[in-house]
């Protein structure tokens, strides 16, 4: 499978997860799970850049990944 297909699959899963949310439910600081070990954090555009203290209404998505699965033998009850 070409590498591009993997990227396209992730983007398609993300689009579908965001579209399933009610209109207006996605805003700053929204966290959206969209695949196994994948989460999207919606933040103001450019928040990670110096001098980005004036939001202009645009949003960007940060993708968080969990690179390993759950090991049932290493779970601790809290």
């Amino acid at each position: 499978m070409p590498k591009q297909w993997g990227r396209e699959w992730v983007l398609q899963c993300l689009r579908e997860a965001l579209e399933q949310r009610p209109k207006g439910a996605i805003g700053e600081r929204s966290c959206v799970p969209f695949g196994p070990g994948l989460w999207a954090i919606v933040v103001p555009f450019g928040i990670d850049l110096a001098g980005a203290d004036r939001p202009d209404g645009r949003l960007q998505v940060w993708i968080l990944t969990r690179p390993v699965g759950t090991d049932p033998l290493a779970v601790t009850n809290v």
Side-chain angles (χ1 to χ4, degrees):
M1 177 168 70
K3 288 182 182 180
Q4 182 66 20
W5 289 6
R7 181 180 187 278
E8 291 302 318
W9 176 81
V10 168
L11 291 174
Q12 184 60 35
C13 289
L14 177 57
R15 282 185 196 101
E16 290 172 3
L18 293 173
E19 288 170 356
Q20 289 175 4
R21 295 292 176 116
K23 242 190 170 132
I26 300 295
E28 292 182 17
R29 307 292 185 200
S30 294
C31 179
V32 181
F34 69 96
L38 298 170
W39 293 268
I41 305 294
V42 181
V43 296
F45 182 77
I47 194 169
D48 53 336
L49 302 174
D53 57 349
R54 296 186 199 114
D56 60 3
R58 294 185 295 167
L59 299 172
Q60 69 183 28
V61 176
W62 293 348
I63 296 177
L64 305 175
T65 62
R66 182 173 183 215
V68 295
T70 301
D71 180 359
L73 300 175
V75 173
T76 302
N77 291 329
V78 179

